Each structure stands twice: as structure tokens, then as C-alpha cells.
Amino acid sequence: MKHLLARLRTAFSKPAPEPARQQEHQQTQHQQHEPQSDAAEDEVLINAYCTVWDFPALDFPHTLAGRRDLSDPELAPHLSGFVGYVLGRGDGQMTRNRYHAMRHIQRVQQHLSLGIAPAQLDAFAGWAQRANAIAFLNDGSIRDPQGRILLDANGAEPDDQAALPYPQQAWQRKQRSEQALAQRGFTPAASLPPLISEPELRMRAPDEIAARAFALLTVAVRAESLNGGEPLTPEQLFQRLPAAQAALTPNEREFMATARPSEEAIAKFGWRYEAAYLLEWALGLVDTLPFPDAICDVPLTSRTLLQAGALHAARMRPDSEILDALDQHYRLHWIVRQAQVQQQPAPAGLSADVLMERHHALNWLVRFEGNDWDDVDTPT
């Protein structure tokens, strides 16, 4: 921390860079929603991007120029523009810092614009670490909590010591996952980042999860019936699963309304049993989440939601258990995709399709990138 002031003084001791036309457009897109600064002339203006939902108190002198969270409709498009700015730095090649910065921005829940006197910069660094925040400065650089350059506006090499912040729980979970997978003979890349952790989490509500599970079961049963040559009509399914109809996504409604879906669509929706089982597990309706080396117990998956009073027995699992499952499935999914890149089969003991469905459901549960079901991504 003692070098933070020197770093920031350096940033403002030279003129701001003049990016190329495309980069200038991206930077304008990033800054167009910035709050107006009320900072005094001798203060450093810092835009802090925090991933924690309840960030720590600003316990040092400062000028608050602006603050917003995800309830502000302008924050999401602003963050999208910020991702574009990050991807446009330098030669555009995906580097470790660029990838981690992009993922950080996609998890941001609080954006603050602060004027900070030079004497308070060390206090800001401590706060930024606790708030899991990165900083954007007027010179166009993106910095870690200690003021070290993660991404330079002109694409210059970052500080070798710069590091994206992650809550301690995230690092601990990554370590536990790697140890658990190593015991099974799997070694994901150590460079894979930590994932979302408890201070950043806004889990979906149980009622929303239950409705999603009913919708998934409905499309999976229809796909199975079509594949078996004895198709069930949407009316028959909605009569048995009335809660599903209102919960269907646009893609699911199209599948249900198509009299003769393609074989690809039937196969795709047939795998939704796996996602439904994952949500049943998250709701506490089934006891265990087996290792993803085989398909789920389909009859059990169906019975669990069809039995009377099932949802009265639902008790959400602790957030920590769901986050543990996400972390392990993410790293296993990376292993499977690496095999696919090398045109090799999935390693023995792993099912690529089961991993895909579970990873999708887990990312939806934790609101990955804030997307609805049809748009959930599973990057590794």
C-alpha cells in the first residue's frame, strides 16, 4: 500500500493517452454514463467497481460523486460497454489479466465514483480490497486495489505484481475443489480463476427455482415421448404439470408448440432431465448430487416433482454447498472441453452432456452475467 500514492501520482503526471478511433469509441461508451464529479481539484477521481453486494463502509474522508447498483437500469449497459473497453485494449489478444478483468466486471454489483485526497489513498486501497473492487482512473487505466496497473489504456504491459481481487472464500473454495478433484485423478488448470462467492451472491428465490424445474421436466418429458414414438401433447403435459406453462422460456415455448421438432431439438431438450435434477438437489428435494459420470435417475427426477406436496418439503441447500458444486463442475467442464479441443473423448469418469446441463443450471442459479435461462452461458 505504501507505493499506491506514487503509482497514482505517476498516472496523473503525464497527459491522458489518445487512443485510436475504435478505442476512443469504446472509452466514450464506457464513460458516457459516468456521474458528474464533485471532487475537489486536489483529489484523485476514482471509479470503483465492486462485486460484493453489501460493500464495507467508506470509513475514510472522500467526496462521493456518484453511486449506483444493479437496480439502476443504466448500470448493466455501462458494464457491457466497460467489457468492450477491456477487450479493445492493446492488440485485442485475450490475456490472463484481460480475461479476469472481464469476468470481474460481469460480477460487478456496485459502482462508485469517489474523489479521494492523496493522503487517503492507502485507506482507499484497504477498502477496495474488502469491497473486492477494481479501479478505473482518468488516464484510462484499470488498476487493482493496490493501484497496480492491470490494463493500460494504450495496451502497455501491466504491472507484474498486479492481481485481480477475489474474496477469500473464493480462493479457499478453488483450493478445496482442486484437492477434491485431484483425489479422483482430475487436474484442471491452476490458472482457472476463482468463481463467485458468498459476499457476491444473489441466489434465485425458491419459488423461481421450483417453477424452472417444472418447466425443465415438462420439455424433457415431451422430448422423451417424441423420441419414443408416442408423443405427448402440450395439453396433456400442462394438465399434469400446470405450473410449468407460465414458466416456459421463449425457446421452450417454441419447442412445445412445434408438432415435429428436429432430432437436434429433441436431443437437446431430452437432456433437460439433468438440469431439473440439479435444481431438485438445490431445493433439497433429493439427497445427493452424484459425481457427473452418469445420467441422473430419470424416474426419480420425475417422481420428485410429480408427487403431491413435493414443494412443501423444499428446503434450499446452503449457499456454500451450491457454490461448491458450481466450482467443481466449472473445473470439470474445462477438462472436458480441453479434450474436445484436442478431438479426444471425455476423460473416463466424466459425462460431457451431464456437465453441460448442470453447469448451465448452476450458472442460472447464481445469476451468472444476469442472464435468463435461454441466454445463460457456460464459459470455461
Side-chain angles (χ1 to χ4, degrees), residues 25-41:
H25 170 73
Q26 290 170 329
Q27 185 165 356
T28 300
Q29 183 181 20
H30 164 58
Q31 293 176 325
Q32 64 185 348
H33 298 305
E34 293 296 345
Q36 292 298 312
S37 172
D38 296 323
E41 289 185 4

Side-chain angles (χ1 to χ4, degrees), residues 124-199:
F124 168 78
W127 174 87
Q129 194 70 47
R130 297 192 300 276
N132 211 59
I134 59 174
F136 180 82
L137 303 189
N138 278 346
D139 68 340
S141 66
I142 299 172
R143 301 184 176 233
D144 72 6
Q146 311 307 319
R148 296 170 297 213
I149 295 177
L150 290 161
L151 290 170
D152 183 82
N154 283 336
E157 289 298 314
D159 190 318
D160 289 340
Q161 301 301 313
L164 263 292
Y166 290 94
Q168 190 60 33
Q169 296 97 318
W171 285 113
Q172 293 168 348
R173 178 167 287 111
K174 168 180 160 68
Q175 184 178 34
R176 289 197 306 271
S177 292
E178 290 171 342
Q179 291 173 346
L181 296 180
Q183 291 176 357
R184 290 180 173 270
F186 299 108
T187 308
S191 60
L192 293 177
L195 300 185
I196 187 172
S197 62
E198 286 84 347

Side-chain angles (χ1 to χ4, degrees), residues 13-345:
S13 66
K14 55 186 179 182
E18 298 180 1
R21 181 176 298 274
Q22 180 180 5
Q23 292 177 338
E24 185 177 27
H25 170 73
Q26 290 170 329
Q27 185 165 356
T28 300
Q29 183 181 20
H30 164 58
Q31 293 176 325
Q32 64 185 348
H33 298 305
E34 293 296 345
Q36 292 298 312
S37 172
D38 296 323
E41 289 185 4
D42 61 344
E43 291 183 329
V44 176
L45 178 63
I46 299 178
N47 281 280
Y49 293 86
C50 316
T51 67
V52 298
W53 185 244
D54 293 317
F55 63 83
L58 293 160
D59 54 357
F60 53 88
H62 65 278
T63 300
L64 182 62
R67 172 185 168 184
R68 56 186 171 178
D69 58 28
L70 290 175
S71 65
D72 185 328
E74 292 191 345
L75 182 54
H78 169 82
L79 295 175
S80 178
F82 196 6
V83 168
Y85 177 81
V86 167
L87 296 179
R89 299 307 89 204
D91 59 8
Q93 295 296 313
M94 184 58 74
T95 63
R96 184 178 186 275
N97 274 6
R98 185 172 286 116
Y99 179 80
H100 284 231
M102 177 182 68
R103 290 294 172 218
H104 180 102
I105 294 165
Q106 290 168 335
R107 298 200 313 279
V108 164
Q109 304 195 61
Q110 306 276 352
H111 170 210
L112 289 82
S113 186
L114 302 168
I116 303 172
Q120 299 300 325
L121 288 172
D122 278 353
F124 168 78
W127 174 87
Q129 194 70 47
R130 297 192 300 276
N132 211 59
I134 59 174
F136 180 82
L137 303 189
N138 278 346
D139 68 340
S141 66
I142 299 172
R143 301 184 176 233
D144 72 6
Q146 311 307 319
R148 296 170 297 213
I149 295 177
L150 290 161
L151 290 170
D152 183 82
N154 283 336
E157 289 298 314
D159 190 318
D160 289 340
Q161 301 301 313
L164 263 292
Y166 290 94
Q168 190 60 33
Q169 296 97 318
W171 285 113
Q172 293 168 348
R173 178 167 287 111
K174 168 180 160 68
Q175 184 178 34
R176 289 197 306 271
S177 292
E178 290 171 342
Q179 291 173 346
L181 296 180
Q183 291 176 357
R184 290 180 173 270
F186 299 108
T187 308
S191 60
L192 293 177
L195 300 185
I196 187 172
S197 62
E198 286 84 347
E200 306 165 291
L201 181 64
R202 292 184 302 123
M203 189 73 71
R204 292 188 186 270
D207 287 351
E208 184 181 7
I209 299 170
R212 181 94 295 271
F214 277 115
L216 292 168
L217 179 62
T218 300
V219 296
V221 171
R222 173 159 168 76
E224 184 181 16
S225 72
L226 288 164
N227 193 50
E230 298 180 358
L232 295 171
T233 66
E235 292 73 21
Q236 290 173 307
L237 291 166
F238 294 144
Q239 184 176 10
R240 190 70 179 88
L241 295 162
Q245 188 167 8
L248 293 176
T249 68
N251 289 350
E252 290 167 345
R253 286 196 295 271
E254 180 181 358
F255 174 70
M256 294 295 289
T258 302
R260 295 182 179 179
S262 66
E263 291 185 7
E264 180 182 4
I266 293 172
K268 170 185 171 181
F269 285 101
W271 278 105
R272 294 296 188 259
Y273 279 118
E274 299 296 336
Y277 185 89
L278 187 287
L279 297 187
E280 291 175 357
W281 172 81
L283 288 167
L285 297 175
V286 292
D287 294 332
T288 60
L289 184 64
F291 195 75
D293 56 359
I295 63 172
C296 67
D297 184 335
V298 170
L300 172 64
T301 304
S302 300
R303 288 197 309 271
T304 297
L305 289 178
L306 290 173
Q307 62 187 0
L311 296 185
H312 293 296
R315 296 291 185 274
M316 279 293 294
R317 291 191 180 278
D319 292 345
S320 59
E321 290 188 30
I322 295 174
L323 292 173
D324 286 348
L326 171 60
D327 199 87
Q328 290 197 23
H329 282 72
Y330 163 75
R331 298 180 200 286
L332 289 171
H333 204 181
W334 179 88
I335 290 173
V336 165
R337 283 181 167 161
Q338 286 299 109
Q340 292 171 341
V341 168
Q342 297 167 8
Q343 298 184 334
Q344 296 178 355

